[in-house]
Amino acid sequence: MEKKNIDWANLGFKYIETDKRYVSYCKDGTWDDGAMVDDANVSINESAGVLQYSQTCFEGLKAYTTVDGRVVTFRPDLNAQRMYETAERLLMPPFPIERFIDALDQLVQANLAYVPPYGTGATLYIRPFLFGSGPVIGVAPAPEYTFRMFSTPVGPYFKGGVRPLKLQISSYDRAAPRGTGHIKAGLNYAMSLYPGYDAKQKGFDENMYLDASTRTFVEETGGANFIFVTKDNKVVTPKSNTILPSITRRSLMYVAKEYLHLETEEREVPVSELSEFVEGGLCGTAAVLSPIGSITTENGVITMPSGMEKMGPITQKLYDTLTGIQMGRIEAPKGWIHTIA
Ligand SMILES: *Cc1c(COP(=O)(O)O)cnc(C)c1O
């Protein structure tokens, strides 16, 4: 496979148009057969549900080259399942799980020249999305829907090495109790832009959001879940029904237990406990796991004992093991690696 002439190691995280994308349309509750197309632009009615009432959701996953030269994706069945559940909550016709996987295979096959070589740290980021494309004017679910999946090559997340993140506890909330925090809806991101801007203005990398009803428990950031390590090496992750169930976080918790033989707990994490943890990290597809350096709270700054220079030892082991599994250097649990080419 002749690769595109791209400086893989110096790619950032921004949109680059690739050759082909997958499209399927839904009318009267029935999805058509779907096809690969060339046009990166979408043409929709001015009154489309997505434009008027934000009826849209998305997923994010990566295709990459393993140590033995295969092109794979990581647990795409879980992205398909999560998108299915998100669609149901937004009254959109879910895109069938096996068809999601088929679309993914077609998309990656058609853009193989954009899958970065092993060892560059770069990946082909894949963005499936589903939105109301038919016109509405009264508030109602759209009469027609579009499912699309495109890909764009992205660079290594930790260019120039790992840098522990500075967080602030946000004075804004991310997700309402009994709202949409547990689904991957575009609207969750629209309302997080301002708090994100606020954090950057104040010199922080990310917001730490608390539960909206009591503001006493830790939830997640705008786009990543948390894990923490206790003094006695337990790996803890916040439990809440307003957190987006990160596939990376679920995988890391499994790795902690089954590969590293650490105790794991998914439970409520009170803000008051933050100063007792020895390590912390943000987990999501983009970075896999980025260490927390400090957390600024109303009552002062908590600096993680792992410091502002590097990952803590358990965070590092979790990171190395999961990325080792993804890249084919460590044997994966059954069903985790989906080989495309
Ligand atoms: C996508 C997302 C994550 C990370 O999920 P992964 O499946 O690990 O990529 C975490 N939090 C929010 C709010 C998200 O939208």
Side-chain angles (χ1 to χ4, degrees):
M1 159 60 48
E2 178 104 21
K3 294 287 179 189
K4 297 282 172 178
N5 183 20
I6 294 175
D7 181 8
W8 306 104
N10 289 308
L11 280 172
F13 197 86
K14 62 178 199 314
Y15 175 79
I16 294 171
E17 191 176 318
T18 51
D19 294 342
K20 305 273 181 189
R21 64 276 303 127
Y22 180 91
V23 186
S24 183
Y25 299 104
C26 183
K27 270 188 195 150
D28 305 320
T30 309
W31 287 102
D32 70 9
D33 290 342
M36 295 303 300
V37 300
D38 292 335
D39 195 353
N41 295 301
V42 178
S43 180
I44 48 174
N45 185 269
E46 61 192 356
S47 207
V50 57
L51 298 179
Q52 300 310 322
Y53 304 121
S54 302
Q55 200 185 14
T56 181
C57 67
F58 69 100
E59 274 299 328
L61 64 163
K62 298 194 284 201
Y64 50 90
T65 309
T66 58
V67 66
D68 56 344
R70 286 172 302 143
V71 172
V72 306
T73 58
F74 182 70
R75 307 186 80 180
D77 51 315
L78 299 187
N79 295 97
Q81 180 69 39
R82 192 167 64 187
M83 190 176 220
Y84 196 99
E85 288 162 13
T86 296
E88 288 183 317
R89 175 64 177 78
L90 296 174
L91 276 182
M92 303 202 276
F95 197 67
I97 294 182
E98 40 327 317
R99 289 213 37 207
F100 180 108
I101 303 295
D102 174 55
L104 172 67
D105 291 350
Q106 288 191 47
L107 176 80
V108 176
Q109 280 288 355
N111 295 291
L112 273 180
Y114 290 96
V115 179
Y118 175 79
T120 57
T123 57
L124 185 67
Y125 183 74
I126 295 161
R127 171 53 59 89
F129 60 118
L130 164 55
F131 58 96
S133 42
V136 289
I137 196 68
V139 177
E144 290 169 22
Y145 293 85
T146 302
F147 172 86
R148 294 179 71 104
M149 199 186 276
F150 69 81
S151 59
T152 190
V154 297
Y157 197 85
F158 295 120
K159 253 195 268 172
V162 175
R163 186 178 57 87
L165 303 176
K166 281 174 69 178
L167 313 184
Q168 71 165 347
I169 292 187
S170 182
S171 54
Y172 297 91
D173 295 321
R174 189 192 81 89
R178 295 166 292 278
T180 55
H182 62 299
I183 60 165
K184 220 167 168 76
L187 55 94
N188 291 343
Y189 280 77
M191 50 118 279
S192 78
L193 294 176
Y194 191 85
Y197 167 80
D198 173 71
K200 296 268 148 55
Q201 284 289 306
K202 293 176 176 153
F204 298 104
D205 297 299
E206 286 284 352
N207 282 311
M208 170 178 276
Y209 291 105
L210 305 183
D211 77 289
S213 50
T214 71
R215 294 192 56 85
T216 52
F217 296 105
V218 175
E219 296 245 301
E220 62 171 318
T221 70
N225 286 181
F226 287 121
I227 56 143
F228 299 102
V229 180
T230 65
K231 284 187 187 75
D232 51 357
N233 288 350
K234 270 189 204 137
V235 181
V236 177
T237 193
K239 186 184 175 80
S240 154
N241 49 24
T242 51
I243 288 177
L244 193 280
S246 156
I247 295 162
T248 316
R249 183 257 298 166
R250 286 181 264 166
S251 305
L252 285 166
M253 293 303 278
Y254 183 91
V255 164
K257 191 159 184 272
E258 303 299 333
Y259 284 67
L260 305 180
H261 309 292
L262 299 168
E263 260 185 78
T264 57
E265 288 176 352
E266 186 179 353
R267 58 161 169 84
E268 288 186 331
V269 174
V271 179
S272 58
E273 193 181 351
L274 285 174
S275 57
E276 292 169 32
F277 294 127
V278 294
E279 299 176 38
L282 272 59
C283 32
T285 295
V288 178
L289 185 55
S290 7
I292 300 173
S294 70
I295 308 162
T296 297
T297 76
E298 275 183 346
N299 310 312
V301 182
I302 298 164
T303 305
M304 287 283 147
S306 49
M308 298 303 293
E309 300 297 321
K310 55 179 186 349
M311 286 195 186
I314 304 264
T315 310
Q316 186 74 57
K317 265 189 212 153
L318 284 168
Y319 178 82
D320 291 344
T321 311
L322 185 56
T323 51
I325 288 170
Q326 291 179 328
M327 292 296 165
R329 297 185 296 261
I330 297 174
E331 192 175 345
K334 200 169 172 296
W336 278 24
I337 304 297
H338 175 70
T339 302
I340 297 174

